[in-house]
Amino acid sequence: MQIISNPMQIYREQLEETLRNEVKRNIPDGIGIMDLGSNMETGHYVVLEDGKPVAFATMKSGDELVKLYVHPEYRKRHIADKLIKHIMADLKSNGEDLFFIERTTQFHNFWSKFVENNKLECQEVTGETRVFIQLN
């Protein structure tokens, strides 16, 4: 597994095609996102497995994760956990103290488990989907 920051556009396009197909299948609860971009994006990360893009993250304002997607065939392998930890380490090495996430309804349980399993301190903002995670 390899994690690359600010990867080539082709990786994003390949995973967006998979995402579009998943959304078309009309999954009952959806997956919370329709694309991997943002109108204020500042960076991206991709996870490669044997040269194939299997996960993607979009950052906004440098310290806010607004999109996170793992290819359906690669879920339940802790790839998202590894990607998030990599992003958090990057942020911390760049002097950031907080990591902001957009937590959709569909992924509330994922984020709750991630925070608990990694013994992280977080603060929820009432009325918003953003959560602040303290970088230790």
Side-chain angles (χ1 to χ4, degrees):
M1 184 178 84
Q2 179 184 15
I3 300 175
I4 301 171
S5 49
N6 297 314
M8 294 184 296
Q9 180 71 17
I10 188 72
Y11 294 134
R12 176 176 165 180
E13 292 168 358
Q14 289 172 355
L15 281 172
E16 280 191 326
E17 179 65 26
T18 303
L19 172 61
R20 279 192 296 275
N21 290 334
E22 190 171 0
V23 169
K24 283 180 190 175
R25 287 195 305 266
N26 198 17
I27 297 167
D29 292 329
I31 58 172
I33 60 174
M34 299 297 288
D35 60 45
L36 298 175
S38 168
N39 61 352
M40 297 177 63
E41 57 199 48
T42 58
H44 301 285
Y45 291 84
V46 68
V47 177
L48 300 177
E49 191 75 38
D50 297 322
K52 176 183 176 183
V54 300
F56 200 88
T58 300
M59 302 294 293
K60 180 172 95 172
S61 304
D63 58 2
E64 183 174 356
L65 177 68
V66 292
K67 304 282 176 90
L68 177 65
Y69 180 71
V70 178
H71 190 289
E73 294 174 15
Y74 291 85
R75 293 180 187 156
K76 306 285 185 197
R77 297 185 191 183
H78 304 282
I79 290 173
D81 288 11
K82 292 173 186 170
L83 177 54
I84 295 164
K85 288 176 187 176
H86 180 90
I87 293 169
M88 291 172 64
D90 272 3
L91 291 173
K92 188 172 180 178
S93 72
N94 289 325
E96 298 291 343
D97 295 326
L98 293 173
F99 175 49
F100 305 97
I101 60 168
E102 288 286 336
R103 185 174 62 188
T104 62
T105 304
Q106 294 87 339
F107 292 100
H108 184 275
N109 289 338
F110 168 81
W111 284 111
S112 295
K113 288 178 186 176
F114 182 83
V115 166
E116 182 180 329
N117 291 343
N118 291 285
K119 297 178 174 80
L120 299 170
E121 296 177 36
C122 74
Q123 177 185 359
E124 297 185 28
V125 180
T126 305
E128 290 189 28
T129 58
R130 288 196 332 162
V131 175
F132 305 97
I133 297 175
Q134 182 70 41
L135 297 174
N136 298 330

